[in-house]
Every structure is written in C-alpha cells, then in structure tokens.
Amino acid sequence: MHSTSKGQATAIGVKSHVLFSKLLTSEEYWALLNLNSISEIADFLKQTEGYKEHLETLPTAKVHRVNLENAVKSAILSEATAFLFYLSGPRRQLFIDWLGWYEAEHLKSIFRWVRTKRLDRDEMRKRLFAVPGSKLSYDLLLNSRDYNDVLDALKDTRYYRVLTEPVKRLINGEESLFSLEIAIDNLVETSLYNDLKDLPENEQKLLEPMFGTRIDLLNLYHFHRCVWYYHMTLEETLSRMLPVKYKVKTHHLRDMTKGTSWEERIDRLGATFPVYAEIFRNALQQEDKELALEMSIKRYNYLKALAIFQKGSPGFHTAISYFILKSHELDDVIRVIENVRYDYDRRNAANYLIRPIISGGEPIWQ
C-alpha cells in the first residue's frame, strides 16, 4: 500500500477513536429515556459532546420532533462529509455506498408518501436531508403524482433499472411496497458488499465479517417476511434475496423451507448457523415479535461493528465501523424521541433499543 494512503487511513482511524469517545454513555442513554418532552431531549443533547455543535442553532423551546431528528442525523452526515475529504479510490467509493443507506431510506419514504399523501409536499420536504454523494433530486421526486412519475424521476440514477419491475407491479395493483423496498435495499447492500473486493487485502479481511454478517441476517429477515407474512412460493422468495451471499447460501434457505413451522425452520437453520438461529428464536418468542427481531438483528450487527472497531491499529476499518456504531446510536436516539413523545413505558421501551447497556457486568436493559 502506498505510504500516503496508509498514512491517511491511520489518520482517519485515529480521528474515529476521538469521535468514538463522544458517543453517548450508558448514563446518558438512561437520562434521555427518562426525560418528559422533546424540548428536554433537545436541551440534553445540546450538552453532550457528540451533538452539541450540531444542535447549537436549534431553538429548543417548542422544537418539533422532525426538526430534532434531522438535526441529530446531521451529526453523522457532517462527520462523514469531513471524512470524505481524506478518502479516494475504493475507500471513498465504499464510504459513499455506505451513505447510500440514508439515500435509500429517503427514497423508500418518498414512495410511501406517494402511496398515502398524508403530508403536503412542503412537510414531506422537511423530512428529507442532503446525503453526501447522492444523485437523487428531491424536488423532482416530490413533484411526482404517482409511482410512474417517481420512476421517471429516477431515470438518471442507479435505481431506475432495478425498480422498473416492482413499480410495474404496483401500477398493476400490487398493494404492498415490500418487494420494491427489498429491491432498493438489495441494490445498496450489493454495491457496498462488492466494494470490499477493491480494498487492500488486510482491510477487506477486517471488514468482510461485519458487512457479510449484515448480508446474512438481511437475507434471513427478508426470507422470514416473504414466507411468513406474504406467503410467497420458494422461487418467488429466492428471487427477492440479495444476489450476493456471505455464509448463508441459497441451499441453506431452500433447506429451511422443508420445515412446516417457524420453529422447525429455525431448528434447520440452527444445525449450521446456531448463532443466527438463536437471534430469530429468542426474538420470535417476544410479545412484539417483529420489533424484537428487527432490534435483535441490529444489536448483533452493532456488536460485530464494535468488535471490528477494536481490532488492530487504527485504520480505515476503524472509521467505517465507527460510523456504523454512530448510525445505530442515531436509531436509538430517534426511538427514544418516539418513546418520550408517546409516553411509552420507559423500561419496556428500553428493551427495544439497539445498544446493550452494561452496568455492573450485566446488560440491565435485556
């Protein structure tokens, strides 16, 4: 590896350790969860190292939830923009494609908006924010009257080809956006996973377990929903899986369908992948099964990212894993905002946060 490139990787790795030290502590998580209003959350976050400079201009007296959530998200995007300045070549491409997670969520939100039109155009626009590297035109997309208009607005983007067929099915009467949203996810995740092969070998080996595990669990999650909720045939289900695979291959998914119940399917999965099976088994025994499953998968991905962040000397892998940890923190903060807004039971709500908070050696929220 070129010495300059290696030096830049080390520099952003060291910077990532500094930013990691500004992530919320366990005590701050608890304090947030026990606040009583959106304004109190905004005031509290203004005092934290990780958010104060991103919220300093936000008026907190009667802050709207959307404004606070966008200000919180701006923290990670501001940090990411600063890192992009130091990246080039395959590292920059992977970083841009990681930011595609945020672009994809916005695109899915726009399709949901076109479906329901519960908000006017200006209100919907407030829920979208600029993502570094994105080629989406929000103004063009929000001028769409129907699904076909959205597709036309995507003609010059990477989404057009993969969404043509799902949009046709929606125009022809398919009610659910599930297949369309899977197609968006699959494009982003495949691009990101394929980027790994262009990295230096040592960085590829460090990062592949983190992104590979995500690929496995996303395929298993989509498989679960296709079979359980949408009653798709095996071939329909397999056609919606990610084209890239890590450890869970197509023949493993085929074998799972031989089970006649979800318990049997999970047992068949557990014969080869006991850790993955346990994630599904434990979550599907909870009262709110789907939320528990979503959070359990994200928690496993969080712990995988944390392990990779702590591996070896600071480098590019440190930066990428930090940003994934930060993205999970943002998800948790936004969920706390929702919990406080609707005054949910705090201890029960805490069970559905991603980050396991350790106190006295035991996870006190699990």
Side-chain angles (χ1 to χ4, degrees):
M1 190 191 304
H2 193 281
S3 59
T4 302
S5 176
K6 186 173 182 180
Q8 287 175 343
T10 301
I12 62 170
V14 171
K15 176 64 174 173
S16 300
H17 274 279
V18 174
L19 292 173
F20 179 83
S21 71
K22 297 180 180 181
L23 291 176
L24 296 173
T25 65
S26 301
E27 291 75 16
E28 286 170 333
Y29 260 77
W30 269 116
L32 275 172
L33 199 64
N34 285 287
L35 295 175
N36 298 307
S37 70
I38 304 299
S39 293
E40 287 184 15
I41 293 175
D43 281 332
F44 184 90
L45 289 174
K46 278 190 172 186
Q47 311 305 314
T48 64
E49 287 295 315
Y51 295 96
K52 61 183 180 182
E53 67 180 87
H54 306 286
L55 274 65
E56 60 185 358
T57 60
L58 184 72
T60 56
K62 292 185 178 179
V63 64
H64 190 277
R65 173 181 61 89
V66 172
N67 293 335
L68 177 57
E69 289 180 2
N70 281 350
V72 167
K73 290 172 184 174
S74 74
I76 194 167
L77 295 174
S78 175
E79 291 174 2
T81 301
F83 271 65
L84 276 172
F85 179 79
Y86 298 99
L87 296 173
S88 60
R91 290 177 182 148
R92 183 181 177 86
Q93 186 59 53
L94 185 142
F95 203 80
I96 288 287
D97 283 342
W98 165 72
L99 284 163
W101 288 355
Y102 293 94
E103 179 186 72
E105 288 308 308
H106 282 335
L107 184 55
K108 287 187 277 186
S109 294
I110 288 167
F111 271 103
R112 293 168 196 154
W113 173 74
V114 168
R115 182 187 181 193
T116 65
K117 290 291 176 70
R118 288 178 183 164
L119 299 170
D120 65 34
R121 185 178 182 277
D122 290 338
E123 281 301 310
M124 184 60 196
R125 186 64 181 83
K126 292 176 184 176
R127 285 162 164 74
L128 307 173
F129 49 85
V131 177
S134 175
K135 292 182 173 61
L136 295 185
S137 169
Y138 296 146
D139 291 334
L140 194 59
L141 288 164
L142 292 177
N143 280 331
S144 301
R145 295 161 298 175
D146 53 32
Y147 295 132
N148 203 46
D149 283 351
V150 182
L151 189 63
D152 282 343
L154 294 171
K155 270 190 175 173
D156 295 327
T157 74
R158 61 180 180 159
Y159 296 99
Y160 182 78
R161 184 179 61 80
V162 298
L163 294 185
T164 299
E165 185 58 36
V167 167
K168 279 184 182 177
R169 290 200 296 268
L170 289 168
I171 292 170
N172 291 333
E174 186 169 290
E175 294 184 7
S176 171
L177 295 177
F178 178 64
S179 292
L180 179 134
E181 293 186 354
I182 282 184
I184 293 172
D185 286 340
N186 285 359
L187 173 64
V188 173
E189 298 293 341
T190 299
S191 298
L192 189 53
Y193 191 69
N194 284 337
D195 288 340
L196 291 174
K197 68 179 183 297
D198 296 324
L199 293 176
E201 187 177 356
N202 65 317
E203 293 177 355
Q204 183 178 334
K205 285 181 177 178
L206 283 165
L207 289 171
E208 188 176 29
M210 181 169 65
F211 289 110
T213 296
R214 180 179 169 87
I215 293 285
D216 280 346
L217 289 170
L218 194 61
N219 266 334
L220 289 169
Y221 180 66
H222 286 164
F223 180 86
H224 160 71
R225 291 183 63 79
C226 286
V227 174
W228 186 259
Y229 286 102
Y230 296 97
H231 309 292
M232 294 181 184
T233 66
L234 174 60
E235 296 310 317
E236 285 175 327
T237 299
L238 293 177
S239 73
R240 286 163 173 79
M241 298 296 99
L242 281 153
V244 291
K245 304 290 188 293
Y246 180 50
K247 291 184 177 179
V248 178
K249 310 296 186 185
T250 300
H251 69 86
H252 295 122
L253 299 175
R254 286 185 180 276
D255 182 70
M256 285 177 67
T257 61
K258 295 176 183 177
T260 57
S261 66
W262 254 105
E263 288 79 10
E264 288 184 17
R265 290 175 190 136
I266 291 171
D267 286 343
R268 297 185 82 90
L269 175 68
T272 310
F273 304 104
V275 174
Y276 292 164
E278 200 61 19
I279 291 171
F280 279 78
R281 186 178 292 111
N282 288 341
L284 296 177
Q285 290 172 352
Q286 303 301 314
E287 183 178 352
D288 193 333
K289 295 178 174 56
E290 290 308 309
L291 182 57
L293 179 57
E294 181 186 339
M295 290 302 106
S296 296
I297 288 172
K298 287 183 175 180
R299 185 172 295 169
Y300 188 80
N301 287 333
Y302 171 93
L303 293 172
K304 181 68 72 172
L306 181 61
I308 289 167
F309 177 85
Q310 295 168 336
K311 273 191 175 180
S313 302
F316 180 65
H317 72 283
T318 319
I320 287 291
S321 51
Y322 160 74
F323 277 101
I324 290 175
L325 294 171
K326 180 75 171 186
S327 71
H328 286 311
E329 180 177 278
L330 294 185
D331 288 344
D332 276 346
V333 170
I334 289 170
R335 185 164 293 279
V336 168
I337 291 170
E338 292 174 357
N339 292 333
V340 171
R341 183 189 183 205
Y342 295 107
D343 198 24
Y344 293 143
D345 176 82
R346 303 298 202 267
R347 185 161 290 277
N348 184 54
N351 291 324
Y352 296 102
L353 295 178
I354 299 166
R355 178 179 163 184
I357 307 302
I358 307 300
S359 178
E362 294 297 327
I364 56 179
W365 286 9
Q366 295 181 327

